[in-house]
Protein backbone atom coordinates (compact mmCIF):
# COMPACT_ATOMS: atom_id res chain seq x y z
CA UNK A 1 0.00 0.00 0.00
CA UNK A 2 1.22 3.49 -0.79
CA UNK A 3 2.02 5.81 2.12
CA UNK A 4 -0.73 8.19 3.19
CA UNK A 5 -0.09 11.27 1.01
CA UNK A 6 -1.48 14.16 3.04
CA UNK A 7 -3.23 15.25 6.24
CA UNK A 8 -6.58 15.85 4.54
CA UNK A 9 -6.76 12.32 3.17
CA UNK A 10 -5.62 10.89 6.49
CA UNK A 11 -8.37 12.80 8.28
CA UNK A 12 -10.97 11.27 5.97
CA UNK A 13 -9.58 7.77 6.62
CA UNK A 14 -9.86 8.26 10.38
CA UNK A 15 -13.36 9.67 10.05
CA UNK A 16 -14.62 6.79 7.92
CA UNK A 17 -13.06 4.21 10.19
CA UNK A 18 -14.52 5.82 13.30
CA UNK A 19 -18.02 5.85 11.77
CA UNK A 20 -17.81 2.12 11.11
CA UNK A 21 -16.21 1.35 14.50
CA UNK A 22 -18.92 3.30 16.31
CA UNK A 23 -21.71 1.62 14.36
CA UNK A 24 -22.89 4.95 12.92
CA UNK A 25 -22.50 3.83 9.29
CA UNK A 26 -22.09 0.32 7.88
CA UNK A 27 -22.31 0.76 4.09
CA UNK A 28 -20.63 2.91 1.46
CA UNK A 29 -23.84 4.93 0.83
CA UNK A 30 -24.21 5.55 4.57
CA UNK A 31 -20.60 6.73 4.78
CA UNK A 32 -21.18 9.06 1.85
CA UNK A 33 -24.27 10.48 3.53
CA UNK A 34 -22.50 11.05 6.85
CA UNK A 35 -19.34 12.62 5.38
CA UNK A 36 -20.54 14.36 2.22
CA UNK A 37 -17.88 12.56 0.16
CA UNK A 38 -18.83 11.35 -3.32
CA UNK A 39 -19.13 7.72 -4.34
CA UNK A 40 -15.74 7.59 -6.05
CA UNK A 41 -13.93 9.10 -3.05
CA UNK A 42 -15.72 6.73 -0.66
CA UNK A 43 -14.86 3.73 -2.84
CA UNK A 44 -11.17 4.67 -2.98
CA UNK A 45 -10.89 5.25 0.75
CA UNK A 46 -12.85 2.15 1.75
CA UNK A 47 -10.69 0.07 -0.61
CA UNK A 48 -7.59 1.36 1.17
CA UNK A 49 -9.03 0.39 4.56
CA UNK A 50 -10.08 -3.01 3.24
CA UNK A 51 -6.61 -3.63 1.81
CA UNK A 52 -5.07 -2.63 5.14
CA UNK A 53 -7.16 -5.30 6.86
CA UNK A 54 -8.99 -2.80 9.06
CA UNK A 55 -12.40 -3.30 7.47
CA UNK A 56 -14.08 -6.36 6.03
CA UNK A 57 -17.13 -6.79 3.86
CA UNK A 58 -20.15 -8.70 5.06
CA UNK A 59 -23.45 -9.70 3.59
CA UNK A 60 -25.65 -7.57 1.34
CA UNK A 61 -28.02 -5.32 3.27
CA UNK A 62 -31.74 -5.45 2.43
CA UNK A 63 -32.66 -3.27 -0.52
CA UNK A 64 -34.46 0.01 0.16
CA UNK A 65 -35.49 0.40 -3.46
CA UNK A 66 -32.13 0.73 -5.13
CA UNK A 67 -29.02 -1.36 -5.48
CA UNK A 68 -28.22 -3.49 -2.43
CA UNK A 69 -25.24 -2.19 -0.42
CA UNK A 70 -22.72 -4.59 1.08
CA UNK A 71 -22.18 -4.22 4.82
CA UNK A 72 -18.85 -3.04 6.18
CA UNK A 73 -17.46 -4.19 9.52
CA UNK A 74 -14.49 -3.15 11.59
CA UNK A 75 -12.13 -6.09 12.16
CA UNK A 76 -12.16 -6.06 15.94
CA UNK A 77 -10.15 -9.31 16.07
CA UNK A 78 -7.33 -8.09 13.81
CA UNK A 79 -5.21 -7.45 16.90
CA UNK A 80 -5.17 -7.37 20.69
CA UNK A 81 -4.51 -4.71 23.33
CA UNK A 82 -2.67 -5.51 26.57
CA UNK A 83 -3.94 -3.57 29.56
CA UNK A 84 -3.29 -3.20 33.28
CA UNK A 85 -4.72 -1.06 36.06
CA UNK A 86 -2.45 -0.70 39.09
CA UNK A 87 -3.70 0.26 42.52
CA UNK A 88 -1.93 0.73 45.83
CA UNK A 89 -2.24 -2.90 46.92
CA UNK A 90 -2.79 -4.85 43.71
CA UNK A 91 -3.35 -4.75 39.97
CA UNK A 92 -5.68 -6.16 37.35
CA UNK A 93 -4.19 -7.15 34.00
CA UNK A 94 -6.17 -8.02 30.91
CA UNK A 95 -6.36 -8.46 27.16
CA UNK A 96 -9.02 -6.81 24.99
CA UNK A 97 -10.03 -6.85 21.37
CA UNK A 98 -9.93 -3.73 19.19
CA UNK A 99 -13.35 -2.62 20.46
CA UNK A 100 -12.28 -2.63 24.11
CA UNK A 101 -14.08 -5.87 25.05
CA UNK A 102 -12.19 -7.70 27.82
CA UNK A 103 -11.28 -11.22 26.66
CA UNK A 104 -9.33 -12.30 29.74
CA UNK A 105 -8.35 -10.69 33.03
CA UNK A 106 -6.51 -11.55 36.22
CA UNK A 107 -6.12 -9.79 39.57
CA UNK A 108 -2.98 -10.04 41.68
CA UNK A 109 -2.08 -8.54 45.01
CA UNK A 110 1.04 -6.43 44.79
CA UNK A 111 2.32 -3.50 46.87
CA UNK A 112 2.99 -0.50 44.63
CA UNK A 113 5.61 0.67 47.16
CA UNK A 114 7.86 -2.25 46.16
CA UNK A 115 9.01 -0.10 43.26
CA UNK A 116 8.73 -0.22 39.47
CA UNK A 117 11.12 -3.07 38.78
CA UNK A 118 9.31 -5.52 41.06
CA UNK A 119 5.78 -4.41 40.23
CA UNK A 120 6.21 -4.12 36.47
CA UNK A 121 7.90 -7.53 36.37
CA UNK A 122 4.73 -8.95 37.97
CA UNK A 123 2.56 -7.11 35.46
CA UNK A 124 4.65 -8.35 32.53
CA UNK A 125 4.54 -11.92 33.81
CA UNK A 126 0.77 -11.79 34.20
CA UNK A 127 0.30 -10.38 30.71
CA UNK A 128 2.53 -13.14 29.34
CA UNK A 129 0.34 -15.73 31.06
CA UNK A 130 -2.82 -14.20 29.60
CA UNK A 131 -1.26 -14.07 26.12
CA UNK A 132 -0.44 -17.75 26.46
CA UNK A 133 -3.96 -18.53 27.62
CA UNK A 134 -5.49 -16.80 24.58
CA UNK A 135 -2.70 -17.83 22.20
CA UNK A 136 -1.85 -14.22 21.32
CA UNK A 137 1.38 -14.04 19.29
CA UNK A 138 3.62 -10.98 19.49
CA UNK A 139 2.55 -9.88 16.01
CA UNK A 140 -1.03 -9.38 17.21
CA UNK A 141 -0.22 -6.98 20.08
CA UNK A 142 -1.28 -3.59 18.77
CA UNK A 143 -0.54 -1.65 21.92
CA UNK A 144 -0.25 -1.60 25.70
CA UNK A 145 -2.26 0.60 28.08
CA UNK A 146 -1.31 1.06 31.73
CA UNK A 147 -2.95 2.95 34.60
CA UNK A 148 -0.92 4.05 37.64
CA UNK A 149 -2.20 5.24 41.06
CA UNK A 150 -0.47 8.60 40.93
CA UNK A 151 0.21 11.64 38.74
CA UNK A 152 1.45 10.78 35.25
CA UNK A 153 2.78 13.18 32.65
CA UNK A 154 0.74 11.87 29.74
CA UNK A 155 3.05 13.18 27.03
CA UNK A 156 5.98 11.11 28.31
CA UNK A 157 4.22 8.32 30.19
CA UNK A 158 6.37 8.99 33.27
CA UNK A 159 5.12 9.16 36.88
CA UNK A 160 5.70 12.57 38.46
CA UNK A 161 6.43 12.55 42.20
CA UNK A 162 3.62 10.11 43.04
CA UNK A 163 2.93 10.28 46.81
CA UNK A 164 2.33 6.54 47.36
CA UNK A 165 4.84 5.21 44.82
CA UNK A 166 8.41 5.45 46.19
CA UNK A 167 11.02 4.85 43.51
CA UNK A 168 8.65 5.51 40.62
CA UNK A 169 9.34 9.21 40.03
CA UNK A 170 10.33 9.82 36.39
CA UNK A 171 10.66 6.09 35.76
CA UNK A 172 10.54 5.18 32.06
CA UNK A 173 7.43 2.99 32.23
CA UNK A 174 6.58 3.51 28.57
CA UNK A 175 10.09 2.69 27.34
CA UNK A 176 10.29 -0.46 29.42
CA UNK A 177 6.95 -1.89 28.29
CA UNK A 178 7.45 -0.84 24.66
CA UNK A 179 10.73 -2.76 24.58
CA UNK A 180 9.25 -5.73 26.42
CA UNK A 181 6.19 -6.16 24.15
CA UNK A 182 7.48 -4.51 20.96
CA UNK A 183 4.38 -2.33 20.69
CA UNK A 184 3.41 1.30 21.33
CA UNK A 185 2.56 2.08 24.97
CA UNK A 186 0.44 4.72 26.69
CA UNK A 187 0.37 5.38 30.43
CA UNK A 188 -2.12 7.44 32.46
CA UNK A 189 -3.47 7.88 35.94
CA UNK A 190 -5.69 4.90 36.81
CA UNK A 191 -8.72 7.04 37.67
CA UNK A 192 -8.59 8.70 34.26
CA UNK A 193 -8.84 5.24 32.73
CA UNK A 194 -11.73 4.25 35.00
CA UNK A 195 -13.50 7.42 33.88
CA UNK A 196 -12.72 6.68 30.22
CA UNK A 197 -14.03 3.14 30.61
CA UNK A 198 -17.37 4.44 31.91
CA UNK A 199 -17.52 6.89 29.01
CA UNK A 200 -16.62 4.53 26.18
CA UNK A 201 -17.50 1.08 27.43
CA UNK A 202 -20.83 -0.76 26.91
CA UNK A 203 -23.75 1.53 27.71
CA UNK A 204 -21.35 4.42 28.14
CA UNK A 205 -22.21 7.54 30.12
CA UNK A 206 -22.77 10.66 28.04
CA UNK A 207 -22.15 14.26 28.95
CA UNK A 208 -19.91 15.69 31.65
CA UNK A 209 -18.81 12.90 33.96
CA UNK A 210 -16.96 13.13 37.27
CA UNK A 211 -15.60 9.74 38.34
CA UNK A 212 -14.38 9.39 41.92
CA UNK A 213 -12.37 6.38 43.04
CA UNK A 214 -12.37 5.86 46.80
CA UNK A 215 -9.83 3.17 47.54
CA UNK A 216 -6.65 3.32 49.60
CA UNK A 217 -6.45 6.89 48.31
CA UNK A 218 -8.91 9.17 46.54
CA UNK A 219 -8.71 10.46 42.98
CA UNK A 220 -11.02 11.78 40.29
CA UNK A 221 -11.34 11.49 36.54
CA UNK A 222 -13.05 14.32 34.65
CA UNK A 223 -14.68 14.39 31.24
CA UNK A 224 -15.95 17.32 29.24
CA UNK A 225 -18.67 16.63 26.64
CA UNK A 226 -17.68 12.96 26.61
CA UNK A 227 -13.93 13.56 26.26
CA UNK A 228 -11.40 12.94 29.01
CA UNK A 229 -9.91 16.10 30.50
CA UNK A 230 -6.34 15.53 31.64
CA UNK A 231 -5.25 19.13 32.13
CA UNK A 232 -2.07 20.83 30.95
CA UNK A 233 0.36 18.25 32.37
CA UNK A 234 -2.02 15.36 32.91
CA UNK A 235 -2.78 15.72 36.63
CA UNK A 236 -6.33 17.11 36.54
CA UNK A 237 -8.59 15.50 39.13
CA UNK A 238 -6.05 14.82 41.88
CA UNK A 239 -8.51 15.91 44.55
CA UNK A 240 -7.30 13.45 47.19
CA UNK A 241 -4.65 15.96 48.17
CA UNK A 242 -6.93 18.96 48.26
CA UNK A 243 -7.24 20.41 51.75
CA UNK A 244 -10.56 19.88 53.57
CA UNK A 245 -9.50 20.78 57.12
CA UNK A 246 -7.14 23.41 58.51
CA UNK A 247 -7.45 21.92 61.98
CA UNK A 248 -6.35 18.38 61.20
CA UNK A 249 -2.90 17.34 62.39
CA UNK A 250 -3.01 14.06 60.45
CA UNK A 251 -0.08 13.98 58.03
CA UNK A 252 -0.98 12.69 54.57
CA UNK A 253 1.34 10.48 52.54
CA UNK A 254 2.08 13.53 50.40
CA UNK A 255 3.59 15.23 53.48
CA UNK A 256 0.83 17.80 53.99
CA UNK A 257 -1.96 17.91 56.57
CA UNK A 258 -5.71 18.20 56.16
CA UNK A 259 -5.87 16.33 52.82
CA UNK A 260 -9.14 14.64 51.85
CA UNK A 261 -7.34 11.33 51.37
CA UNK A 262 -5.78 11.50 54.85
CA UNK A 263 -9.22 11.96 56.43
CA UNK A 264 -11.56 9.90 54.25
CA UNK A 265 -9.55 7.49 52.07
CA UNK A 266 -9.30 3.75 52.63
CA UNK A 267 -5.98 4.02 54.48
CA UNK A 268 -7.50 6.66 56.76
CA UNK A 269 -10.52 4.46 57.50
CA UNK A 270 -8.24 1.52 58.28
CA UNK A 271 -6.15 3.72 60.60
CA UNK A 272 -9.16 5.08 62.47
CA UNK A 273 -10.83 1.67 62.55
CA UNK A 274 -7.76 0.17 64.17
CA UNK A 275 -7.90 2.90 66.80
CA UNK A 276 -11.51 1.93 67.52
CA UNK A 277 -10.41 -1.68 67.88
CA UNK A 278 -7.46 -0.96 70.17
CA UNK A 279 -9.50 1.27 72.48
CA UNK A 280 -12.33 -1.22 72.66
CA UNK A 281 -14.89 1.21 71.25
CA UNK A 282 -15.76 -1.35 68.56
CA UNK A 283 -15.96 -4.96 69.79
CA UNK A 284 -16.47 -6.17 66.22
CA UNK A 285 -13.28 -4.54 64.99
CA UNK A 286 -11.42 -5.61 68.13
CA UNK A 287 -12.25 -9.22 67.24
CA UNK A 288 -10.94 -8.73 63.69
CA UNK A 289 -7.73 -7.14 65.02
CA UNK A 290 -7.18 -10.00 67.43
CA UNK A 291 -7.61 -12.56 64.65
CA UNK A 292 -5.71 -10.87 61.80
CA UNK A 293 -3.44 -8.38 63.53
CA UNK A 294 -4.64 -5.44 61.47
CA UNK A 295 -7.73 -3.59 60.27
CA UNK A 296 -8.48 -2.78 56.64
CA UNK A 297 -11.03 -0.45 55.08
CA UNK A 298 -12.95 -3.54 53.99
CA UNK A 299 -13.11 -4.68 57.62
CA UNK A 300 -14.48 -1.30 58.65
CA UNK A 301 -17.16 -1.24 55.96
CA UNK A 302 -18.16 -4.81 56.85
CA UNK A 303 -18.55 -3.80 60.49
CA UNK A 304 -20.64 -0.81 59.47
CA UNK A 305 -22.93 -2.97 57.33
CA UNK A 306 -23.32 -5.29 60.31
CA UNK A 307 -24.58 -2.37 62.37
CA UNK A 308 -21.48 -1.43 64.40
CA UNK A 309 -22.28 2.10 65.60
CA UNK A 310 -18.71 3.42 65.76
CA UNK A 311 -17.87 2.05 62.30
CA UNK A 312 -21.02 3.67 60.93
CA UNK A 313 -20.02 7.01 62.44
CA UNK A 314 -16.58 6.79 60.83
CA UNK A 315 -18.12 6.14 57.42
CA UNK A 316 -20.62 8.96 57.84
CA UNK A 317 -17.81 11.36 58.72
CA UNK A 318 -15.80 10.24 55.70
CA UNK A 319 -18.88 10.55 53.48
CA UNK A 320 -19.41 14.13 54.63
CA UNK A 321 -15.79 15.05 53.86
CA UNK A 322 -16.08 13.50 50.41
CA UNK A 323 -19.49 15.03 49.76
CA UNK A 324 -18.24 18.47 50.75
CA UNK A 325 -15.34 18.25 48.30
CA UNK A 326 -17.63 16.97 45.56
CA UNK A 327 -20.05 19.83 46.20
CA UNK A 328 -17.21 22.24 45.47
CA UNK A 329 -16.55 20.34 42.24
CA UNK A 330 -20.27 20.39 41.35
CA UNK A 331 -20.52 24.15 41.85
CA UNK A 332 -17.34 24.74 39.87
CA UNK A 333 -17.63 22.16 37.10
CA UNK A 334 -21.38 21.35 36.93
CA UNK A 335 -21.15 17.68 35.86
CA UNK A 336 -24.21 15.77 34.68
CA UNK A 337 -23.12 12.54 36.37
CA UNK A 338 -20.97 11.55 39.36
CA UNK A 339 -19.91 7.91 39.58
CA UNK A 340 -18.26 6.43 42.66
CA UNK A 341 -15.87 3.50 42.34
CA UNK A 342 -13.29 1.71 44.47
CA UNK A 343 -13.62 -0.63 47.45
CA UNK A 344 -14.79 2.04 49.89
CA UNK A 345 -17.52 3.18 47.48
CA UNK A 346 -19.13 -0.22 48.06
CA UNK A 347 -19.48 0.48 51.79
CA UNK A 348 -23.26 0.47 51.59
CA UNK A 349 -26.30 2.63 51.04
CA UNK A 350 -25.70 4.84 54.08
CA UNK A 351 -22.28 5.91 52.82
CA UNK A 352 -23.65 6.76 49.38
CA UNK A 353 -26.65 8.52 50.91
CA UNK A 354 -24.37 10.64 53.12
CA UNK A 355 -22.34 11.73 50.10
CA UNK A 356 -25.49 12.54 48.13
CA UNK A 357 -27.08 14.49 50.99
CA UNK A 358 -23.92 16.55 51.51
CA UNK A 359 -23.61 17.35 47.82
CA UNK A 360 -27.22 18.47 47.52
CA UNK A 361 -27.06 20.49 50.73
CA UNK A 362 -23.86 22.34 49.80
CA UNK A 363 -24.39 22.80 46.05
CA UNK A 364 -26.33 25.38 44.07
CA UNK A 365 -29.85 24.16 43.17
CA UNK A 366 -29.28 24.68 39.45
CA UNK A 367 -26.10 22.59 39.45
CA UNK A 368 -27.90 19.60 40.99
CA UNK A 369 -31.21 19.89 39.15
CA UNK A 370 -30.43 16.96 36.82
CA UNK A 371 -27.33 15.60 38.54
CA UNK A 372 -27.08 11.80 38.78
CA UNK A 373 -24.97 10.33 41.59
CA UNK A 374 -24.44 6.58 41.52
CA UNK A 375 -21.94 3.75 41.84
CA UNK A 376 -19.73 2.94 38.85
CA UNK A 377 -21.12 0.33 36.46
CA UNK A 378 -18.07 -1.54 35.22
CA UNK A 379 -16.40 -2.50 38.49
CA UNK A 380 -12.98 -4.11 38.29
CA UNK A 381 -12.96 -4.22 34.47
CA UNK A 382 -13.55 -0.48 34.08
CA UNK A 383 -9.86 0.37 34.19
CA UNK A 384 -9.03 -2.29 31.60
CA UNK A 385 -11.73 -1.02 29.24
CA UNK A 386 -10.49 2.55 29.72
CA UNK A 387 -6.86 1.51 29.14
CA UNK A 388 -7.87 -0.20 25.90
CA UNK A 389 -9.74 2.86 24.65
CA UNK A 390 -6.82 5.09 25.58
CA UNK A 391 -4.63 2.98 23.29
CA UNK A 392 -7.23 2.71 20.52
CA UNK A 393 -8.07 6.42 20.54
CA UNK A 394 -4.38 7.23 20.17
CA UNK A 395 -3.72 4.59 17.51
CA UNK A 396 -6.61 5.81 15.37
CA UNK A 397 -5.91 9.50 15.90
CA UNK A 398 -4.69 11.53 12.93
CA UNK A 399 -1.42 12.02 14.82
CA UNK A 400 -0.45 8.34 14.78
CA UNK A 401 -2.71 6.59 12.27
CA UNK A 402 -0.78 7.64 9.20
CA UNK A 403 2.47 6.23 10.54
CA UNK A 404 1.19 2.66 10.66
CA UNK A 405 -1.63 2.58 8.10
CA UNK A 406 0.71 1.62 5.21
CA UNK A 407 1.63 -1.62 7.00
CA UNK A 408 -1.92 -2.28 8.22
CA UNK A 409 -0.89 -2.82 11.86
CA UNK A 410 0.96 -0.98 14.65
CA UNK A 411 2.31 -4.26 16.05
CA UNK A 412 6.09 -4.13 16.22
CA UNK A 413 6.01 -0.33 16.19
CA UNK A 414 7.46 0.38 19.62
CA UNK A 415 8.88 3.54 18.06
CA UNK A 416 5.44 4.90 17.12
CA UNK A 417 5.51 7.60 19.79
CA UNK A 418 9.06 8.69 19.02
CA UNK A 419 9.20 12.29 17.84
Amino acid sequence: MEPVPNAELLESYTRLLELVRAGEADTRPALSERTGLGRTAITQRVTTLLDAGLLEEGELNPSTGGRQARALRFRRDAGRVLTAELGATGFTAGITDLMGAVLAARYRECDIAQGPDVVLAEVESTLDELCGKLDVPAGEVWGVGLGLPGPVEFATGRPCEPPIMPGWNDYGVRDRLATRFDAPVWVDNEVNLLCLGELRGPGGTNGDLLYLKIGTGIGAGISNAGRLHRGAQGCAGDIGHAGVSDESTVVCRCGKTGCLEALAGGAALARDGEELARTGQSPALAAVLAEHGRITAVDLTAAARAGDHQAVQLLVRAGRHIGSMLATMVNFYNPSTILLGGQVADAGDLFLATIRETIYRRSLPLSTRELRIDRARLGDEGGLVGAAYMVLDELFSARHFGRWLPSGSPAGRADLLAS
Side-chain angles (χ1 to χ4, degrees):
M1 190 194 323
E2 294 296 321
V4 177
N6 57 58
E8 182 179 356
L9 186 55
L10 175 59
E11 185 67 32
S12 69
Y13 285 140
T14 59
R15 174 64 175 153
L16 294 177
L17 194 58
E18 178 57 30
L19 287 170
V20 178
R21 288 175 62 214
E24 297 178 23
D26 65 351
T27 64
R28 290 170 178 81
L31 288 170
S32 179
E33 182 179 346
R34 291 298 302 269
T35 63
L37 293 173
R39 186 173 68 179
T40 300
I42 290 291
T43 298
Q44 292 173 341
R45 287 156 175 75
V46 167
T47 298
T48 297
L49 296 174
L50 288 167
D51 290 345
L54 299 174
L55 296 180
E56 62 183 359
E57 290 189 299
E59 63 283 350
L60 290 171
N61 281 356
S63 174
T64 57
R67 183 178 178 182
Q68 288 178 287
R70 190 169 294 278
L72 296 168
R73 292 192 296 259
F74 175 65
R75 294 189 61 218
R76 61 189 303 158
D77 292 321
R80 298 290 184 245
V81 179
L82 309 186
T83 61
E85 179 208 345
L86 280 64
T89 58
F91 67 86
T92 303
I95 298 178
T96 78
D97 66 15
L98 299 184
M99 291 293 288
V102 178
L103 305 176
R106 182 167 298 165
Y107 175 80
R108 282 191 169 172
E109 293 185 354
C110 188
D111 186 356
I112 198 72
Q114 290 180 294
D117 290 327
V118 173
V119 174
L120 291 178
E122 284 289 319
V123 172
E124 291 163 352
S125 173
T126 305
L127 288 172
D128 284 340
E129 291 177 15
L130 292 174
C131 284
K133 177 182 177 181
L134 295 182
D135 193 23
V136 179
E140 287 187 10
V141 177
W142 278 35
V144 181
L146 189 75
L148 296 177
V152 176
E153 186 179 42
F154 186 71
T156 63
R158 291 176 178 265
C160 185
E161 300 185 28
I164 67 169
M165 300 169 62
W168 288 78
N169 183 46
D170 204 36
Y171 187 88
V173 177
R174 171 183 291 168
D175 295 338
R176 171 178 175 142
L177 295 178
T179 299
R180 178 67 167 70
F181 294 105
D182 194 23
V185 176
W186 283 271
V187 186
D188 202 351
N189 177 271
E190 58 155 344
V191 189
N192 280 346
L193 300 185
L194 289 164
C195 181
L196 187 59
E198 294 288 344
L199 285 168
R200 303 292 300 281
T205 301
N206 296 319
D208 300 308
L209 167 66
L210 176 61
Y211 184 106
L212 188 75
K213 180 182 179 182
I214 315 169
T216 302
I218 297 176
I222 305 169
S223 78
N224 178 32
R227 301 183 68 86
L228 195 64
H229 175 73
R230 294 187 173 94
Q233 275 75 46
C235 62
D238 197 358
I239 66 172
H241 301 289
V244 294
S245 174
D246 291 330
E247 299 177 1
S248 175
T249 59
V250 177
V251 179
C252 182
R253 287 176 293 180
C254 71
K256 300 179 178 64
T257 60
C259 294
L260 177 64
E261 179 178 305
L263 298 177
L269 292 175
R271 177 199 65 222
D272 294 343
E274 186 165 323
E275 179 65 18
L276 291 178
R278 293 190 183 283
T279 59
Q281 296 178 68
S282 170
L285 291 175
V288 174
L289 181 63
E291 181 177 355
H292 300 289
R294 68 188 184 108
I295 298 294
T296 68
V298 174
D299 296 327
L300 179 77
T301 58
R305 283 197 297 269
D308 184 277
H309 176 72
Q310 294 296 333
V312 168
Q313 291 303 109
L314 268 185
L315 279 179
V316 168
R317 186 176 67 188
R320 286 173 180 162
H321 281 306
I322 292 168
S324 181
M325 175 57 69
L326 287 176
T328 300
M329 297 287 289
V330 167
N331 286 331
F332 178 76
Y333 165 54
N334 191 204
S336 57
T337 304
I338 295 176
L339 294 180
L340 305 176
Q343 284 187 329
V344 179
D346 293 328
D349 293 338
L350 178 61
F351 184 63
L352 180 60
T354 301
I355 293 175
R356 280 177 172 154
E357 185 276 330
T358 306
I359 292 173
Y360 286 122
R361 176 167 47 84
R362 299 182 63 91
S363 300
L364 296 172
L366 181 59
S367 65
T368 57
R369 179 184 295 171
E370 298 181 3
L371 176 64
R372 181 170 70 93
I373 306 169
D374 212 340
R375 294 184 181 90
R377 300 174 303 110
L378 298 182
D380 294 339
E381 287 192 352
L384 303 183
V385 174
Y389 274 104
M390 170 179 65
V391 171
L392 295 169
D393 288 350
E394 292 291 331
L395 286 176
F396 291 111
S397 69
R399 178 184 177 189
H400 299 301
F401 188 35
R403 299 185 62 185
W404 63 266
L405 176 60
S407 63
S409 168
R413 293 296 308 273
D415 64 334
L416 191 65
L417 276 70
S419 56

